[in-house]
Coordinates of all heavy atoms in Angstrom, one line a residue:
M20 N 0.8 -1.2 0.0 CA 0.0 0.0 0.0 C 0.9 1.2 0.0 O 1.9 1.3 0.7 CB -0.9 0.0 1.2 CG -2.0 -1.1 1.2 SD -3.0 -1.2 2.7 CE -3.6 0.5 2.9
T21 N 0.5 2.2 -0.7 CA 1.2 3.5 -0.8 C 0.9 4.3 0.5 O -0.2 4.1 1.1 CB 0.8 4.3 -2.0 OG1 -0.5 4.7 -1.9 CG2 1.0 3.5 -3.3
P22 N 1.7 5.3 0.8 CA 1.4 6.2 1.9 C 0.0 6.9 1.7 O -0.7 7.1 2.7 CB 2.5 7.2 1.9 CG 3.7 6.5 1.3 CD 3.1 5.6 0.2
T23 N -0.4 7.2 0.5 CA -1.7 7.8 0.2 C -2.8 6.8 0.6 O -3.8 7.2 1.2 CB -1.8 8.3 -1.2 OG1 -0.8 9.2 -1.5 CG2 -3.2 8.9 -1.5
D24 N -2.6 5.5 0.1 CA -3.6 4.5 0.5 C -3.8 4.4 2.0 O -4.9 4.3 2.5 CB -3.2 3.1 0.0 CG -3.2 3.0 -1.5 OD1 -4.0 3.7 -2.2 OD2 -2.5 2.1 -2.1
I25 N -2.6 4.3 2.7 CA -2.7 4.2 4.1 C -3.4 5.3 4.8 O -4.3 5.1 5.7 CB -1.2 4.0 4.7 CG1 -0.6 2.7 4.2 CG2 -1.2 4.1 6.2 CD1 0.9 2.6 4.5
A26 N -3.1 6.5 4.4 CA -3.8 7.7 5.0 C -5.3 7.7 4.7 O -6.1 8.0 5.6 CB -3.1 9.0 4.4
R27 N -5.7 7.4 3.5 CA -7.1 7.3 3.1 C -7.9 6.3 3.9 O -8.9 6.5 4.4 CB -7.3 7.1 1.6 CG -6.8 8.3 0.8 CD -6.9 8.1 -0.7 NE -8.3 7.9 -1.1 CZ -8.7 7.0 -2.0 NH1 -7.8 6.2 -2.6 NH2 -9.9 6.9 -2.3
V28 N -7.3 5.1 4.0 CA -8.0 4.0 4.7 C -8.0 4.3 6.2 O -9.0 4.0 6.8 CB -7.3 2.6 4.4 CG1 -7.9 1.5 5.3 CG2 -7.4 2.3 2.9
Q29 N -6.9 4.9 6.7 CA -6.9 5.2 8.2 C -8.0 6.2 8.4 O -8.8 6.1 9.4 CB -5.6 5.8 8.6 CG -5.5 6.3 10.0 CD -4.2 6.7 10.4 OE1 -3.3 5.9 10.7 NE2 -4.0 8.1 10.4
T30 N -8.2 7.2 7.6 CA -9.2 8.2 7.8 C -10.6 7.6 7.8 O -11.5 7.9 8.6 CB -9.1 9.3 6.7 OG1 -7.9 10.0 6.8 CG2 -10.3 10.3 6.8
Y31 N -10.8 6.7 6.8 CA -12.1 6.0 6.7 C -12.4 5.1 7.9 O -13.5 5.2 8.5 CB -12.1 5.1 5.5 CG -13.3 4.2 5.4 CD1 -14.5 4.7 5.0 CD2 -13.2 2.9 5.7 CE1 -15.6 3.9 4.9 CE2 -14.3 2.0 5.7 CZ -15.5 2.6 5.3 OH -16.6 1.7 5.2
L32 N -11.4 4.4 8.4 CA -11.6 3.5 9.6 C -11.8 4.3 10.8 O -12.7 3.9 11.7 CB -10.4 2.6 9.8 CG -10.2 1.5 8.7 CD1 -9.0 0.7 8.9 CD2 -11.5 0.5 8.7
R33 N -11.1 5.4 11.0 CA -11.4 6.3 12.1 C -12.8 6.8 12.1 O -13.5 6.8 13.2 CB -10.4 7.4 12.2 CG -9.0 7.0 12.6 CD -8.1 8.2 12.6 NE -6.8 7.9 13.2 CZ -5.8 8.7 13.3 NH1 -5.9 10.0 12.9 NH2 -4.6 8.3 13.9
R34 N -13.3 7.2 11.0 CA -14.6 7.7 10.9 C -15.6 6.6 11.1 O -16.6 6.8 11.9 CB -14.9 8.4 9.5 CG -16.2 9.1 9.4 CD -16.4 9.8 8.1 NE -16.5 8.9 7.0 CZ -15.6 8.9 6.0 NH1 -14.6 9.7 5.9 NH2 -15.7 8.0 5.0
L35 N -15.4 5.5 10.5 CA -16.3 4.3 10.6 C -16.4 3.8 12.0 O -17.5 3.5 12.6 CB -15.9 3.2 9.7 CG -16.7 1.9 9.7 CD1 -18.0 2.1 9.1 CD2 -15.9 0.8 9.0
L36 N -15.3 3.7 12.7 CA -15.2 3.2 14.1 C -15.4 4.2 15.1 O -15.5 3.9 16.3 CB -13.9 2.4 14.3 CG -13.7 1.2 13.3 CD1 -12.3 0.6 13.4 CD2 -14.8 0.2 13.5
G37 N -15.4 5.5 14.8 CA -15.6 6.6 15.7 C -14.5 6.8 16.7 O -14.7 7.1 17.8
S38 N -13.2 6.5 16.2 CA -12.1 6.7 17.2 C -10.9 7.1 16.4 O -10.4 6.5 15.5 CB -11.8 5.4 17.9 OG -10.7 5.5 18.7
D39 N -10.2 8.2 16.9 CA -9.0 8.6 16.4 C -7.8 7.8 16.9 O -6.7 8.0 16.6 CB -8.7 10.1 16.7 CG -9.6 11.0 15.9 OD1 -10.0 10.6 14.8 OD2 -9.8 12.2 16.3
R40 N -8.1 6.8 17.8 CA -7.1 6.0 18.3 C -6.6 4.9 17.4 O -5.6 4.2 17.6 CB -7.5 5.3 19.7 CG -7.8 6.4 20.7 CD -8.3 5.8 22.0 NE -9.0 4.5 21.9 CZ -9.3 3.7 22.9 NH1 -8.9 4.1 24.1 NH2 -10.0 2.6 22.8
V41 N -7.4 4.7 16.3 CA -7.1 3.7 15.2 C -6.0 4.3 14.4 O -6.1 5.4 13.8 CB -8.3 3.4 14.4 CG1 -7.9 2.4 13.2 CG2 -9.4 2.8 15.2
T42 N -4.9 3.5 14.2 CA -3.8 4.0 13.4 C -3.3 2.8 12.5 O -3.3 1.7 12.9 CB -2.6 4.3 14.3 OG1 -3.0 5.3 15.2 CG2 -1.4 4.9 13.5
L43 N -3.0 3.2 11.2 CA -2.4 2.2 10.3 C -0.9 2.4 10.4 O -0.4 3.6 10.2 CB -2.9 2.4 8.9 CG -4.4 2.1 8.7 CD1 -4.8 2.1 7.2 CD2 -4.9 0.8 9.4
V44 N -0.2 1.4 10.6 CA 1.3 1.4 10.7 C 2.0 0.9 9.5 O 1.8 -0.3 9.2 CB 1.8 0.6 12.0 CG1 3.3 0.7 12.1 CG2 1.0 1.1 13.2
P45 N 2.7 1.8 8.7 CA 3.3 1.3 7.5 C 4.3 0.2 7.8 O 4.9 0.2 8.9 CB 4.0 2.5 7.0 CG 3.4 3.7 7.7 CD 2.9 3.2 9.0
P46 N 4.6 -0.7 6.9 CA 5.5 -1.8 7.2 C 7.0 -1.3 7.3 O 7.3 -0.3 6.6 CB 5.4 -2.7 5.9 CG 4.8 -1.8 4.9 CD 4.0 -0.8 5.6
A47 N 7.7 -2.0 8.1 CA 9.1 -1.7 8.3 C 9.9 -1.9 7.0 O 10.9 -1.2 6.7 CB 9.7 -2.4 9.4
R48 N 9.5 -3.0 6.2 CA 10.2 -3.3 5.0 C 9.2 -3.5 3.9 O 8.0 -3.9 4.2 CB 11.0 -4.6 5.1 CG 12.2 -4.5 6.1 CD 13.0 -5.7 6.1 NE 12.2 -6.9 6.1 CZ 12.2 -7.8 7.1 NH1 13.0 -7.7 8.2 NH2 11.4 -8.9 7.1
K49 N 9.5 -3.3 2.7 CA 8.6 -3.5 1.5 C 8.2 -4.9 1.5 O 9.0 -5.8 1.7 CB 9.4 -3.1 0.2 CG 8.4 -3.1 -1.0 CD 9.1 -2.6 -2.2 CE 8.1 -2.6 -3.3 NZ 8.5 -1.7 -4.4
G50 N 6.9 -5.1 1.2 CA 6.4 -6.5 1.1 C 5.7 -7.0 2.3 O 5.0 -8.0 2.3
M51 N 6.0 -6.3 3.4 CA 5.3 -6.7 4.7 C 3.9 -6.1 4.8 O 3.6 -5.2 4.1 CB 6.2 -6.3 5.9 CG 7.6 -7.0 5.9 SD 8.6 -6.4 7.3 CE 7.7 -7.1 8.7
S52 N 3.2 -6.6 5.8 CA 1.8 -6.1 5.9 C 1.7 -4.7 6.6 O 2.6 -4.4 7.5 CB 1.0 -7.1 6.8 OG 0.9 -8.3 6.1
V53 N 0.7 -4.0 6.3 CA 0.4 -2.8 7.0 C -0.4 -3.3 8.3 O -1.3 -4.1 8.2 CB -0.5 -1.8 6.2 CG1 -1.0 -0.7 7.0 CG2 0.3 -1.4 5.0
E54 N 0.0 -2.8 9.5 CA -0.6 -3.2 10.7 C -1.7 -2.2 11.1 O -1.6 -1.0 10.9 CB 0.4 -3.3 11.8 CG 1.4 -4.4 11.6 CD 2.5 -4.5 12.6 OE1 2.8 -3.5 13.2 OE2 2.9 -5.6 12.8
I55 N -2.7 -2.6 11.8 CA -3.8 -1.8 12.4 C -3.5 -1.8 13.9 O -3.4 -2.9 14.5 CB -5.2 -2.3 12.1 CG1 -5.4 -2.4 10.6 CG2 -6.2 -1.4 12.7 CD1 -6.6 -3.2 10.2
A56 N -3.4 -0.6 14.5 CA -3.2 -0.5 15.9 C -4.3 0.4 16.5 O -4.8 1.3 15.9 CB -1.8 0.1 16.2
V57 N -4.6 0.0 17.8 CA -5.5 0.9 18.6 C -4.6 1.3 19.7 O -4.1 0.5 20.5 CB -6.7 0.2 19.1 CG1 -7.5 1.1 20.0 CG2 -7.6 -0.3 17.9
Q58 N -4.3 2.6 19.8 CA -3.3 3.2 20.6 C -2.0 2.5 20.3 O -1.6 2.6 19.1 CB -3.7 3.1 22.1 CG -4.8 4.0 22.4 CD -5.2 4.0 23.9 OE1 -5.3 2.9 24.5 NE2 -5.4 5.2 24.4
D59 N -1.3 1.8 21.2 CA -0.1 1.1 20.8 C -0.2 -0.4 20.7 O 0.8 -1.1 20.5 CB 1.0 1.4 21.9 CG 1.4 2.9 22.0 OD1 1.3 3.5 20.9 OD2 1.7 3.4 23.1
E60 N -1.4 -0.9 20.7 CA -1.6 -2.3 20.5 C -2.0 -2.7 19.1 O -3.0 -2.3 18.6 CB -2.7 -2.8 21.5 CG -2.9 -4.3 21.5 CD -3.8 -4.8 22.5 OE1 -4.2 -4.1 23.4 OE2 -4.2 -6.0 22.5
V61 N -1.2 -3.5 18.5 CA -1.5 -4.0 17.1 C -2.6 -5.0 17.2 O -2.6 -6.0 18.0 CB -0.3 -4.6 16.5 CG1 -0.6 -5.3 15.1 CG2 0.8 -3.6 16.3
I62 N -3.7 -4.8 16.5 CA -4.9 -5.7 16.5 C -5.1 -6.5 15.2 O -5.9 -7.3 15.2 CB -6.1 -4.9 16.9 CG1 -6.5 -3.9 15.8 CG2 -6.0 -4.3 18.2 CD1 -7.9 -3.3 15.9
G63 N -4.3 -6.2 14.2 CA -4.4 -6.9 13.0 C -3.7 -6.3 11.8 O -2.8 -5.5 12.0
T64 N -4.0 -6.8 10.6 CA -3.4 -6.3 9.4 C -4.4 -5.9 8.4 O -5.6 -6.3 8.5 CB -2.5 -7.4 8.8 OG1 -3.3 -8.6 8.5 CG2 -1.3 -7.8 9.7
I65 N -3.9 -5.2 7.4 CA -4.8 -4.8 6.2 C -4.0 -5.0 4.9 O -2.8 -4.8 4.9 CB -5.3 -3.3 6.4 CG1 -6.3 -3.0 5.3 CG2 -4.1 -2.3 6.4 CD1 -7.1 -1.8 5.6
H66 N -4.7 -5.5 3.9 CA -4.1 -5.8 2.7 C -4.9 -5.2 1.5 O -6.2 -5.1 1.6 CB -4.1 -7.3 2.4 CG -3.3 -8.0 3.5 ND1 -2.0 -8.2 3.5 CD2 -3.8 -8.6 4.6 CE1 -1.6 -8.8 4.5 NE2 -2.7 -9.1 5.3
R67 N -4.2 -4.7 0.5 CA -4.9 -4.1 -0.6 C -5.0 -5.1 -1.7 O -4.1 -5.9 -2.0 CB -4.0 -2.9 -1.2 CG -4.6 -2.2 -2.4 CD -3.6 -1.1 -2.8 NE -4.2 -0.1 -3.7 CZ -4.2 -0.3 -5.0 NH1 -3.7 -1.4 -5.6 NH2 -4.8 0.6 -5.8
D68 N -6.2 -5.2 -2.3 CA -6.5 -6.1 -3.4 C -7.0 -5.4 -4.6 O -7.9 -4.5 -4.5 CB -7.6 -7.1 -2.9 CG -7.8 -8.2 -4.0 OD1 -6.9 -8.6 -4.7 OD2 -9.0 -8.7 -4.0
D69 N -6.3 -5.6 -5.7 CA -6.7 -4.9 -7.0 C -7.0 -6.0 -8.0 O -6.1 -6.6 -8.6 CB -5.5 -4.1 -7.5 CG -5.8 -3.2 -8.7 OD1 -6.9 -3.4 -9.3 OD2 -5.0 -2.3 -9.0
E70 N -8.3 -6.3 -8.1 CA -8.8 -7.3 -9.0 C -9.5 -6.7 -10.2 O -10.6 -6.1 -10.0 CB -9.7 -8.3 -8.2 CG -10.3 -9.4 -9.1 CD -9.8 -10.7 -8.6 OE1 -9.1 -10.8 -7.6 OE2 -10.2 -11.7 -9.3
E71 N -9.0 -6.9 -11.3 CA -9.6 -6.4 -12.6 C -10.0 -4.9 -12.4 O -11.0 -4.5 -12.9 CB -10.8 -7.2 -12.9 CG -10.5 -8.6 -13.2 CD -11.7 -9.5 -13.6 OE1 -12.8 -8.9 -13.8 OE2 -11.6 -10.7 -13.6
G72 N -9.1 -4.1 -11.8 CA -9.3 -2.7 -11.7 C -10.1 -2.2 -10.6 O -10.3 -1.0 -10.3
E73 N -10.7 -3.2 -9.8 CA -11.5 -2.8 -8.6 C -10.6 -3.0 -7.4 O -10.2 -4.1 -7.1 CB -12.8 -3.7 -8.6 CG -13.7 -3.4 -9.7 CD -15.1 -3.7 -9.4 OE1 -15.4 -3.9 -8.2 OE2 -15.9 -3.7 -10.3
V74 N -10.5 -1.9 -6.7 CA -9.6 -2.0 -5.5 C -10.4 -2.1 -4.2 O -11.5 -1.5 -4.0 CB -8.8 -0.7 -5.4 CG1 -7.9 -0.6 -4.1 CG2 -7.9 -0.5 -6.6
S75 N -10.0 -3.0 -3.3 CA -10.6 -3.2 -2.0 C -9.5 -3.4 -1.0 O -8.4 -3.7 -1.3 CB -11.6 -4.4 -2.0 OG -10.9 -5.6 -2.3
Y76 N -9.9 -3.3 0.3 CA -8.9 -3.5 1.3 C -9.5 -4.5 2.3 O -10.7 -4.4 2.8 CB -8.7 -2.1 2.1 CG -8.1 -1.1 1.1 CD1 -8.9 -0.3 0.4 CD2 -6.7 -1.0 1.0 CE1 -8.3 0.6 -0.5 CE2 -6.2 -0.1 0.1 CZ -7.0 0.7 -0.7 OH -6.5 1.6 -1.5
A77 N -8.7 -5.5 2.6 CA -9.2 -6.6 3.5 C -8.6 -6.4 4.9 O -7.3 -6.2 5.0 CB -8.8 -8.0 3.0
V78 N -9.4 -6.4 5.9 CA -8.9 -6.2 7.3 C -9.0 -7.5 8.0 O -10.0 -8.2 8.0 CB -9.8 -5.2 8.0 CG1 -9.4 -5.1 9.5 CG2 -9.8 -3.8 7.3
N79 N -7.9 -7.9 8.6 CA -7.8 -9.1 9.4 C -7.5 -8.8 10.8 O -6.4 -8.3 11.1 CB -6.7 -10.1 8.8 CG -6.7 -11.4 9.5 OD1 -7.7 -11.9 10.0 ND2 -5.5 -12.0 9.6
I80 N -8.5 -9.0 11.7 CA -8.3 -8.7 13.2 C -7.9 -9.9 13.9 O -8.6 -11.0 13.8 CB -9.5 -8.0 13.7 CG1 -9.7 -6.6 13.1 CG2 -9.4 -7.8 15.2 CD1 -10.9 -5.8 13.5
I81 N -6.9 -9.9 14.7 CA -6.5 -11.0 15.5 C -6.8 -10.8 17.0 O -6.4 -9.7 17.5 CB -4.9 -11.2 15.3 CG1 -4.6 -11.6 13.9 CG2 -4.4 -12.3 16.3 CD1 -4.0 -10.5 13.1
V82 N -7.4 -11.7 17.6 CA -7.7 -11.6 19.1 C -7.1 -12.8 19.7 O -7.4 -14.0 19.4 CB -9.3 -11.6 19.3 CG1 -9.5 -11.6 20.8 CG2 -10.0 -10.5 18.6
L83 N -6.1 -12.5 20.6 CA -5.4 -13.6 21.3 C -6.2 -14.0 22.5 O -6.8 -13.1 23.2 CB -4.0 -13.1 21.8 CG -3.1 -12.7 20.6 CD1 -1.8 -12.1 21.2 CD2 -2.8 -13.8 19.7
E84 N -6.2 -15.3 22.8 CA -6.9 -15.8 24.0 C -6.5 -15.1 25.3 O -7.3 -14.8 26.1 CB -6.7 -17.3 24.1 CG -7.3 -18.0 25.3 CD -8.8 -18.0 25.4 OE1 -9.4 -18.1 24.3 OE2 -9.3 -18.1 26.5
E85 N -5.2 -14.9 25.4 CA -4.6 -14.3 26.6 C -5.1 -12.8 26.8 O -5.0 -12.3 27.9 CB -3.1 -14.3 26.5 CG -2.5 -13.5 25.4 CD -1.0 -13.7 25.1 OE1 -0.6 -14.9 25.2 OE2 -0.3 -12.7 24.9
D86 N -5.6 -12.2 25.8 CA -6.1 -10.8 25.9 C -7.6 -10.8 26.3 O -8.1 -9.7 26.7 CB -5.9 -10.1 24.6 CG -4.5 -9.8 24.3 OD1 -3.6 -9.8 25.2 OD2 -4.1 -9.6 23.1
L87 N -8.3 -11.9 26.3 CA -9.7 -11.9 26.6 C -9.9 -11.9 28.1 O -9.1 -12.4 28.9 CB -10.3 -13.2 26.0 CG -10.3 -13.3 24.5 CD1 -10.9 -14.6 24.1 CD2 -11.1 -12.2 23.9
P88 N -11.1 -11.4 28.5 CA -11.4 -11.4 30.0 C -11.7 -12.9 30.3 O -12.0 -13.7 29.4 CB -12.7 -10.5 30.1 CG -13.3 -10.5 28.7 CD -12.1 -10.7 27.8
P89 N -11.7 -13.2 31.6 CA -12.0 -14.6 32.0 C -13.4 -15.0 31.6 O -14.3 -14.1 31.5 CB -11.9 -14.5 33.5 CG -11.2 -13.3 33.9 CD -11.4 -12.3 32.7
A90 N -13.6 -16.2 31.2 CA -14.9 -16.8 30.8 C -15.8 -16.8 32.1 O -15.3 -17.1 33.2 CB -14.7 -18.1 30.2
P91 N -17.1 -16.6 31.9 CA -17.9 -16.7 33.1 C -18.0 -18.1 33.6 O -17.9 -19.1 32.8 CB -19.3 -16.2 32.6 CG -19.2 -16.3 31.1 CD -17.8 -16.2 30.7
A92 N -18.2 -18.3 34.9 CA -18.3 -19.6 35.4 C -19.6 -20.3 34.9 O -20.6 -19.7 34.7 CB -18.4 -19.5 37.0
A93 N -19.4 -21.6 34.6 CA -20.6 -22.3 34.1 C -21.7 -22.4 35.2 O -21.4 -22.6 36.4 CB -20.1 -23.7 33.7
A94 N -22.9 -22.3 34.8 CA -24.0 -22.4 35.7 C -24.1 -23.8 36.2 O -24.0 -24.8 35.5 CB -25.3 -21.9 35.1
A95 N -24.5 -24.0 37.5 CA -24.7 -25.3 38.1 C -25.9 -25.9 37.5 O -26.9 -25.2 37.2 CB -24.8 -25.2 39.6
P96 N -25.9 -27.2 37.2 CA -27.1 -27.9 36.7 C -28.3 -27.7 37.6 O -28.1 -27.8 38.9 CB -26.7 -29.3 36.5 CG -25.3 -29.5 37.0 CD -24.8 -28.1 37.5
R97 N -29.5 -27.5 37.1 CA -30.7 -27.4 37.9 C -31.2 -28.8 38.3 O -31.2 -29.7 37.5 CB -31.8 -26.6 37.2 CG -31.3 -25.2 36.8 CD -32.4 -24.5 36.1 NE -33.2 -23.8 37.1 CZ -34.3 -23.2 36.8 NH1 -34.8 -23.2 35.6 NH2 -34.9 -22.5 37.8
R98 N -31.6 -28.9 39.6 CA -32.3 -30.1 40.1 C -33.8 -29.9 40.2 O -34.2 -28.9 40.6 CB -31.7 -30.5 41.4 CG -30.2 -30.8 41.3 CD -29.8 -31.3 42.7 NE -28.3 -31.6 42.6 CZ -27.6 -32.1 43.6 NH1 -28.2 -32.3 44.7 NH2 -26.4 -32.3 43.4
N99 N -34.5 -30.9 39.8 CA -36.0 -30.8 39.8 C -36.5 -31.4 41.1 O -36.2 -32.2 41.8 CB -36.6 -31.6 38.7 CG -36.3 -30.8 37.4 OD1 -36.1 -29.6 37.4 ND2 -36.4 -31.5 36.3

């Protein structure tokens, strides 16, 4: 993705998600993925697809199990 692509998609995602904390991080080296971050936490990647002249951007969000809150305790079985 070009710097212009990154800026345009970032503006769109910020407006769509209602948060200026969303940032697209350009890759450190050519050919690597553009990362999506909320504040300083990377939450996924975004890829540009150009198929027959139609451009789209695919967002892949990764949620690690270790980042989730604890699961609620299972309810005890009911006795009749």
